[in-house]
Amino acid sequence: MQRSSIVKSLSIAGVVLSLAGIGGPSALAATTQQAPTAITRSTRNADDDAALKALVDQYGDINKTLIPLVGAYNARDLGGYQTADGKWQIRPKRLIRSSNLNGLTNGDKKVLSHDYHVTSIVDFRTPGQIDYEPDQPVPGATSTELSILGPHAFGDSSKHPTLSGDFSGDGSFYVQRLEFGYPAVNGYREFLNKLLTNPQATLYHCSSGKDRTGIATVLVMSILGMSEKTITDDYMQSNEVGGHVEAAWIKEYFSEIKSNYGSMTNYITTLINFTPAQQAKLRSMYLISTDGKKTAYSAPKAPAQVTQPTVVTPATPAQPAPAKPAATPATKPAVVTHQSGAADKPVKKHKVTKAKKKAKIKITSTKNLHTKYTYRLKGNKKWFKDSHLQKVFGHTPKHKKTTWKLVKEEHIKINGKKHTYFEVKDHAGHKAWIDKSYITKVK
């Protein structure tokens, strides 16, 4: 295939060695990546073939999902992936992950437009990367730019910001920039919302289609119900076309989410702010049954409002009607009488509870701190993204022993009452705001 001659890749054998922890520094310590070396039919050897076979045996064959494009070497259709219970699968030709589209040929454009019905393209790259290698337009498709790393990140300041393909990944990069980073959280939320509006195919990509695109795929497949193994296998298959990802990176990503949020579902609901109703709608749009009937997944419907009591008391004609007059005084049940006998104005039997007013929060003073990692947080206590206490992170882990550094102190008035909140930061760069009373000093 022509694609093999233009793949931007590391040596597949080198990838396998790095996955095994042999022959080089740990990727978890890496912060930059050299420009990959292309592997072509003429340069591949027996070692490369053996390394590729090892990857396929462990993580599955990428050719089952790979779209044969000349100008995008990591384009894959997620259609066919099954949920953990095996009852549902992703619709074909609806969700396509890819490397950048700068090299698309006219034939590639026809494949995406006519064969896969791509009508929406989401580009996760930074503005500098997009300017250097702009996408080739796909007929009939709109394009949306959502920089997952913010407007100016890493390689954007260099002369050639995309020569190394995607930004180098490592465990801390995934956690700090793709899990908790503000641009990533907002970008992925907008991406998921766009998926809810497109009845045709959406293609989403970054530079190499492995890091930013990889995490977008993790989020989508998690919502749709794939198992963690299925998600990890798909993530690792970027190595089969010359990308460089490691199992340790995605493992650390999952681990941090579970430590801080308990589950991927809670992380998506709480931090990404993609609601359970939206998640149910996504499943109804992108899942079909695996029984051969291709039945659409049915999103649970909200219960209908009942205007009358659901329990009807049966008539009891055998009992004689009370000997009281039909019209009883209306004042007795409608008037509340104190022990003194004085009656208040008539009130309804069931008092309507008023909506709770939003707390008034005012920051009165701020102070930067420079403390060491000598503090821990009490478990299951509410913490926040900002000191205005408007965005809740959820609750602190019950048994987490992570130590934290105090980086900022703010005195806050909540409905006129004084409180002290600290911004805390751990060794991985996570930050949150929490009440002073929930912070304990490590002796």
Side-chain angles (χ1 to χ4, degrees):
M1 295 174 67
Q2 287 179 295
R3 180 176 67 260
S4 63
S5 65
I6 63 171
V7 168
K8 303 173 183 176
S9 64
L10 291 169
S11 167
I12 295 178
V15 170
V16 173
L17 290 175
S18 66
L19 290 173
I22 303 171
S26 169
L28 293 177
T31 57
T32 59
Q33 180 177 321
Q34 297 295 325
T37 303
I39 297 176
T40 66
R41 287 180 180 270
S42 61
T43 60
R44 277 180 54 176
N45 54 40
D47 289 338
D48 292 330
D49 290 336
L52 178 59
K53 183 179 184 302
L55 288 170
V56 171
D57 290 344
Q58 186 169 4
Y59 300 112
D61 190 352
I62 195 174
N63 286 306
K64 293 180 179 180
T65 59
L66 196 67
I67 300 174
L69 301 178
V70 174
Y73 61 90
N74 196 9
R76 300 182 242 163
D77 182 0
L78 300 187
Y81 275 125
Q82 293 188 5
T83 55
D85 61 11
K87 295 180 179 179
W88 306 95
Q89 62 184 342
I90 299 178
R91 290 179 181 272
K93 300 182 178 182
R94 291 294 301 280
L95 294 169
I96 300 170
R97 56 173 297 175
S98 181
S99 51
N100 80 75
L101 309 181
N102 176 256
L104 290 184
T105 65
N106 289 335
D108 293 337
K109 296 176 184 179
K110 185 176 181 180
V111 168
L112 293 176
S113 178
H114 291 82
D115 297 347
Y116 284 85
H117 311 291
V118 173
T119 59
S120 176
I121 295 172
V122 179
D123 192 337
F124 293 139
R125 296 178 298 167
T126 62
Q129 290 180 312
I130 293 172
D131 289 344
Y132 184 70
E133 287 188 338
D135 281 351
Q136 292 294 318
V138 174
T142 61
S143 183
T144 303
E145 297 174 3
L146 297 175
S147 177
I148 294 300
L149 299 177
H152 303 288
F154 300 122
D156 265 2
S157 61
S158 67
K159 184 176 180 181
H160 299 299
T162 56
L163 290 180
S164 62
D166 211 348
F167 291 118
S168 169
D170 62 23
S172 61
F173 167 80
Y174 279 72
V175 170
Q176 294 181 40
R177 302 305 299 268
L178 301 185
E179 179 183 343
F180 294 110
Y182 185 77
V185 169
N186 285 318
Y188 287 137
R189 181 190 304 118
E190 188 170 345
F191 164 64
L192 292 172
N193 275 282
K194 284 192 70 65
L195 293 182
L196 295 177
T197 65
N198 187 16
Q200 300 296 328
T202 297
L203 183 152
Y204 56 97
H205 75 90
C206 48
S207 293
S208 300
K210 62 185 184 66
D211 293 319
R212 290 163 285 186
T213 299
I215 293 303
T217 305
V218 169
L219 296 174
V220 170
M221 292 178 71
S222 295
I223 294 171
L224 295 182
M226 280 77 239
S227 68
E228 188 171 313
K229 182 182 185 306
T230 299
I231 295 170
T232 299
D233 287 350
D234 176 80
Y235 166 84
M236 292 297 294
Q237 285 176 9
S238 284
N239 288 319
E240 296 178 27
V241 288
H244 180 199
V245 292
E246 298 194 15
W249 303 348
I250 196 67
K251 183 178 180 180
E252 183 170 348
Y253 176 82
F254 278 125
S255 176
E256 285 293 328
I257 285 176
K258 291 175 183 177
S259 294
N260 287 280
Y261 292 91
S263 67
M264 178 63 77
T265 297
N266 193 42
Y267 165 77
I268 292 169
T269 303
T270 305
L271 186 61
I272 302 297
N273 195 25
F274 195 66
T275 68
Q278 290 173 310
Q279 294 174 48
K281 182 178 179 182
L282 196 76
R283 289 189 283 271
S284 71
M285 291 178 63
Y286 293 94
L287 290 178
I288 54 175
S289 62
T290 57
D291 58 5
K293 298 179 181 179
K294 298 182 180 180
T295 305
Y297 181 95
S298 298
K301 297 180 180 179
Q305 294 184 350
V306 179
T307 56
Q308 295 181 352
T310 55
V311 178
V312 179
T313 304
T316 54
Q319 296 180 357
K324 295 181 180 181
T328 56
T331 55
K332 288 185 178 180
V335 176
V336 178
T337 305
H338 296 290
Q339 291 181 354
S340 62
D344 289 335
K345 294 181 179 180
V347 295
K348 293 182 179 180
K349 187 175 181 180
H350 300 288
K351 186 177 180 180
V352 178
T353 303
K354 293 183 179 180
K356 188 176 180 180
K357 293 183 178 179
K358 187 176 181 180
K360 294 182 179 179
I361 298 173
K362 181 180 180 182
I363 299 173
T364 57
S365 66
T366 301
K367 179 181 178 182
N368 291 325
L369 303 174
H370 302 283
T371 60
K372 297 180 180 180
Y373 293 96
T374 54
Y375 297 86
R376 286 190 182 139
L377 308 183
K378 294 183 180 179
N380 202 31
K381 303 299 180 182
K382 188 177 291 186
W383 55 356
F384 300 85
K385 183 176 180 62
D386 55 40
S387 57
H388 288 281
L389 315 185
Q390 294 176 346
K391 296 182 180 179
V392 181
F393 262 146
H395 293 79
T396 55
K398 293 182 179 180
H399 306 294
K400 187 74 172 179
K401 297 299 183 181
T402 303
T403 52
W404 298 78
K405 176 182 178 181
L406 309 185
V407 295
K408 192 174 291 186
E409 175 185 4
E410 288 194 345
H411 295 284
I412 302 171
K413 281 188 177 181
I414 304 177
N415 293 334
K417 188 176 180 180
K418 294 181 179 179
H419 295 266
T420 299
Y421 273 76
F422 285 100
E423 184 180 33
V424 296
K425 177 181 178 182
D426 72 358
H427 69 284
H430 306 151
K431 291 182 180 180
W433 286 90
I434 192 166
D435 190 282
K436 177 182 179 180
S437 60
Y438 300 148
I439 301 173
T440 59
K441 189 172 183 178
V442 178
K443 296 180 180 180

